[in-house]
Amino acid sequence: MQKKAIKPYTQEDLESFVSGIIEINGIINTTNPDILFAPMMGTVPLIDCLNASDPHFENSRVYYIPASSSLASLNNILPQTAANLLFGEFHSIPERGLKILSLDEVVSGSSAVRIRDKISDGIQRYTSKLSLTEEEAKRIRFYQIGLEHGMYRESGKEWNENLKRMIESEKIQIVRVNRIIP
């Protein structure tokens, strides 16, 4: 089987990517999440880039989560992982509320939708374990950042319909770059 040739990235691609990382860092600083969920397969290099771009990047709030669709029991693993991490860090909801952020690459949008659904399930498991009232549970805010790979956009393919709805309802903020370099 012949490998598909990978188009070398240009200076413009690199500058676009660096600008995207700086934009993501600004969003993270503005949001100031209590916990940042980072899918293991796609986000590890992005977290490394955030560290390179900001010497004050707060790694102690980053938790790597299994989110690959290749995991046979992902529908149970991801929500339970999110619930366990939340409960391990927060035995009660702070009065100011709890801000949860996830960061991932966005190509078609399928993984962003899956992560939203499964982390939301995990948040539900967490709130049930704490026996929170509906009012207390409303103090939990879940944000997403998606780093969009420009090559997908250039292909003319449509995003996942659920991702489109998430963007419209501001459940995910998309940061566009020409190419995701790492």
Side-chain angles (χ1 to χ4, degrees):
M1 177 183 256
Q2 192 175 20
K3 288 186 176 181
K4 185 178 177 183
I6 297 174
K7 177 183 152 190
Y9 62 85
T10 65
Q11 182 68 27
E12 183 181 336
D13 292 338
L14 182 59
E15 290 171 4
S16 169
F17 177 75
V18 170
S19 294
I21 290 296
I22 291 168
E23 183 178 344
I24 288 171
N25 190 55
I27 295 167
I28 292 170
N29 288 335
T30 300
T31 306
N32 193 23
D34 297 294
I35 192 165
L36 195 160
F37 287 134
M40 289 178 200
M41 300 300 282
T43 312
V44 172
L46 300 181
I47 297 296
D48 290 344
C49 291
L50 286 164
N51 276 285
S53 71
D54 180 359
H56 304 292
F57 183 78
E58 186 58 52
N59 284 294
S60 65
R61 62 184 167 188
V62 176
Y63 289 86
Y64 293 101
I65 56 172
S68 172
S69 60
S70 65
L71 293 171
S73 300
L74 181 66
N75 290 339
N76 189 45
I77 292 170
L78 181 51
Q80 195 59 51
T81 299
N84 290 346
L85 288 169
L86 288 168
F87 189 74
E89 288 295 314
F90 306 98
H91 294 290
S92 63
I93 302 296
E95 191 61 39
R96 61 175 164 63
L98 180 62
K99 293 180 187 176
I100 301 165
L101 177 71
S102 83
L103 167 65
D104 200 7
E105 300 173 334
V106 172
V107 180
S108 69
S110 297
S111 65
V113 171
R114 180 178 57 252
I115 287 168
R116 175 125 207 129
D117 290 345
K118 298 308 164 199
I119 289 178
S120 294
D121 290 349
I123 292 168
Q124 178 62 45
R125 290 180 188 190
Y126 167 69
T127 60
S128 294
K129 189 171 186 175
L130 290 181
S131 301
L132 297 179
T133 66
E134 193 173 319
E135 196 60 39
E136 290 170 318
K138 285 181 182 178
R139 293 197 332 251
I140 300 173
R141 300 283 186 249
F142 177 30
Y143 306 90
Q144 279 182 279
I145 302 172
L147 183 64
E148 181 201 3
H149 198 306
M151 289 178 71
Y152 187 81
R153 185 175 55 247
E154 290 170 9
S155 74
K157 294 180 183 175
E158 289 289 319
W159 270 340
N160 176 304
E161 287 299 318
N162 291 326
L163 178 67
K164 288 179 185 178
R165 284 191 286 278
M166 285 169 45
I167 293 167
E168 289 168 6
S169 63
E170 299 179 351
K171 292 181 178 178
I172 186 168
Q173 187 167 351
I174 300 296
V175 173
R176 291 182 165 94
V177 295
N178 292 352
R179 303 241 332 248
I180 298 175
I181 303 298

